[in-house]
Amino acid sequence: MPRPRKAINQMNVVPYIDVMLVLLVIFMVTAPLVAPGEIELPNVGAAVITPKQPFEITVQKDGQLLLRNRAKPNEPVKRFNTEALIPQLVAQQKESPDQAVVIAADKNVRYESVVAVLDALQRNHVKKVGLLVVPTKSSP
């Protein structure tokens, strides 16, 4: 008497894996050969505006402050004390309010001198103030 066939309740996935591996090899071979498309960017009406060079306040060891307008390199550097610098800087920033201010201090200047300049700038509502530093060279 012939034995009845038993139903298989598992799916054979080996052929599907073979097909996927063949497709993977095809894509891996053809992907480097396909050149990426070029993108044509639209033109805009206004020119790109580059940021202005900042005003630079240099704090020297003797407490004197130098004001340099980096946007106008031919303009002479002016020497001030804190009380005379602030009105001059506020007047120049009214002409160009988007121009930043950076403070460059000698490394031997006392921290109090730099904080005094920062405080005076803050009290007179000077915006966009930063500190100028020299980056250290990192070893590879």
Side-chain angles (χ1 to χ4, degrees):
M1 166 168 203
R3 242 173 31 186
R5 290 194 161 196
K6 187 176 178 187
I8 300 175
N9 61 359
Q10 295 177 349
M11 181 182 226
N12 189 3
V13 294
V14 172
Y16 299 114
I17 294 173
D18 291 341
V19 170
M20 293 304 293
L21 288 175
V22 169
L23 288 174
L24 178 66
V25 169
I26 290 172
F27 285 128
M28 287 175 56
V29 169
T30 59
L33 303 176
V34 176
E38 290 185 25
I39 298 174
E40 292 184 33
L41 297 175
N43 295 332
V44 292
V48 177
I49 300 171
T50 58
K52 287 187 176 181
Q53 291 290 325
F55 292 110
E56 181 181 325
I57 300 172
T58 304
V59 182
Q60 294 184 325
K61 291 180 193 176
D62 61 356
Q64 288 292 311
L65 304 173
L66 303 177
L67 178 63
R68 175 185 300 150
N69 187 352
R70 286 190 162 188
K72 299 177 183 175
N74 297 334
E75 192 173 287
V77 177
K78 300 172 187 168
R79 184 177 294 270
F80 295 100
N81 59 15
T82 307
E83 294 79 28
L85 171 76
I86 299 303
Q88 176 75 21
L89 186 60
V90 169
Q92 286 190 9
Q93 250 200 345
K94 283 184 181 176
E95 294 174 13
S96 56
D98 59 333
Q99 195 168 1
V101 177
V102 294
I103 300 173
D106 187 271
K107 67 180 180 180
N108 297 323
V109 169
R110 293 184 54 89
Y111 184 67
E112 296 168 0
S113 302
V114 177
V115 171
V117 173
L118 282 170
D119 182 48
L121 293 173
Q122 184 180 17
R123 280 187 279 122
N124 289 284
H125 308 290
V126 175
K127 301 205 179 341
K128 296 184 180 180
V129 179
L131 297 175
L132 189 63
V133 295
V134 177
T136 58
K137 295 179 181 177
S138 60
S139 59

